[in-house]
Amino acid sequence: MSNLTFDSVIQVVQRLPLLERRRLQEWLAKEGSLPTAQPGARLQQELQWLAVHRAEYRGQWVVLDGNRLIAAAPTAPEAFAAADTSGVELPLVIRVEEADELPFGGW
């Protein structure tokens, strides 16, 4: 009988180089073990979240991962610091504007 356990497999996976982890992730997705998101699905979730919560977070910087709010901050540096510590690979960091307000482009 095998002595493999979930924890022992995770320990091995954590020691794999990044490229090997990605290969494993692709294999699991292909085998149907992991749900696969449609391209752009995460962005659609983020846009929907912004539409619903725009008034609540107007003027603030938000950090999103799909439809999950990671952080809200009054300044960009604070938001980017929260994004860095969140552990999310590519969070969306954006200032919430009024729906009809043009984005700030600098002076």
Side-chain angles (χ1 to χ4, degrees):
M1 174 157 303
S2 175
N3 291 331
L4 284 178
T5 65
F6 176 81
D7 291 330
S8 66
V9 171
I10 293 301
Q11 288 175 355
V12 170
V13 170
Q14 288 174 331
R15 290 193 306 258
L16 288 174
L18 180 60
L19 289 177
E20 293 299 307
R21 280 199 222 169
R22 291 222 172 122
R23 283 184 61 207
L24 176 61
Q25 183 179 20
E26 290 170 7
W27 180 84
L28 288 170
K30 186 175 87 177
E31 292 296 310
S33 299
L34 292 177
T36 56
Q38 294 177 320
R42 187 172 133 197
L43 177 60
Q44 289 302 319
Q45 290 177 334
E46 292 162 347
L47 293 174
Q48 178 65 31
W49 188 96
L50 287 167
V52 170
H53 297 281
R54 184 174 305 283
E56 188 179 350
Y57 290 93
R58 183 180 50 236
Q60 294 187 54
W61 287 83
V62 296
V63 182
L64 300 174
D65 179 28
N67 59 5
R68 181 173 65 100
L69 175 66
I70 296 169
T75 67
E78 290 173 291
F80 280 102
D84 286 342
T85 61
S86 72
V88 175
E89 190 172 331
L90 290 172
L92 174 67
V93 180
I94 189 168
R95 184 173 185 270
V96 180
E97 310 283 350
E98 288 286 346
D100 57 351
E101 184 177 346
L102 293 174
F104 177 71
W107 297 107

